[in-house]
Amino acid sequence: MKTARALLALPGLAALAWGVVLFAEYALPLRPDVFGAVGWIVGGPILNDAVVAPLTALLGVVLARVLPPPWKAPVVAATVITGVLAILAFPLLWRPYGTPPMPGLHDTSPALGLALTVATVWLVAILTALAHRVVPPITRDAPPITRDARPITRDAPPVTRTDPPGPPADRPGP
């Protein structure tokens, strides 16, 4: 097990080392814009850990306690996805030209893109919850119901038979 963990950790450590090498090539020699980059590198995780993640978790817990069962999972998932989308869109919303323009997409609006994506996520969450209301999930607890099945109750006396099954006409006389 330790070998498997070490083998799984090696690619992550290699990517981390490569990121440090690339940042050192960018940052050295020191320039004023390097401090802005360090601010984003350090500020992003702090903003996430101090603001976005706790608010998303708090909202998810509150919604999970308030909503009925078919709505819990879709709404909590949509809340988490909305938080992740807000983190990803933050640099583009913070400054209008946060990334280099892509060919053919110079006139995109990050706010409109975020709004449409969040609306799509919540539409899928609502449709998922409604689908569970229309078509209830299959449970394997109860036996299938047939036309000739007797109702099952907890307080019913046990059924005992002294005669063999079948109508009395089928049995030979004494």
Side-chain angles (χ1 to χ4, degrees):
M1 187 59 132
K2 289 182 181 182
T3 306
R5 287 184 183 176
L7 289 175
L8 288 173
L10 285 176
L13 292 174
L16 179 65
W18 183 245
V20 168
V21 168
L22 291 178
F23 186 74
E25 287 179 5
Y26 164 74
L28 299 175
L30 289 177
R31 302 177 306 280
D33 65 329
V34 172
F35 296 108
V38 170
W40 278 101
I41 291 171
V42 173
I46 290 174
L47 178 70
N48 176 50
D49 294 345
V51 178
V52 177
L55 286 178
T56 303
L58 180 66
L59 187 61
V61 168
V62 168
L63 289 174
R65 290 181 186 231
V66 172
L67 294 173
W71 290 87
K72 283 183 185 181
V75 170
V76 170
T79 303
V80 171
I81 292 171
T82 302
V84 170
L85 288 172
I87 291 171
L88 293 175
F90 183 76
L92 297 174
L93 297 173
W94 181 261
R95 50 191 180 148
Y97 302 105
T99 59
M102 291 187 279
L105 298 175
H106 301 291
D107 58 348
T108 59
S109 171
L112 178 63
L114 176 64
L116 291 174
T117 306
V118 168
T120 303
V121 166
W122 282 98
L123 178 67
V124 168
I126 290 169
L127 291 176
T128 302
L130 291 176
H132 280 284
R133 285 185 63 140
V134 173
V135 181
I138 297 173
T139 59
R140 302 195 188 279
D141 297 338
I145 298 174
T146 59
R147 284 186 283 159
D148 56 344
R150 292 185 308 214
I152 300 172
T153 60
R154 291 184 181 181
D155 299 330
V159 177
T160 57
R161 289 193 174 166
T162 55
D163 298 334
D170 293 338
R171 285 181 281 157

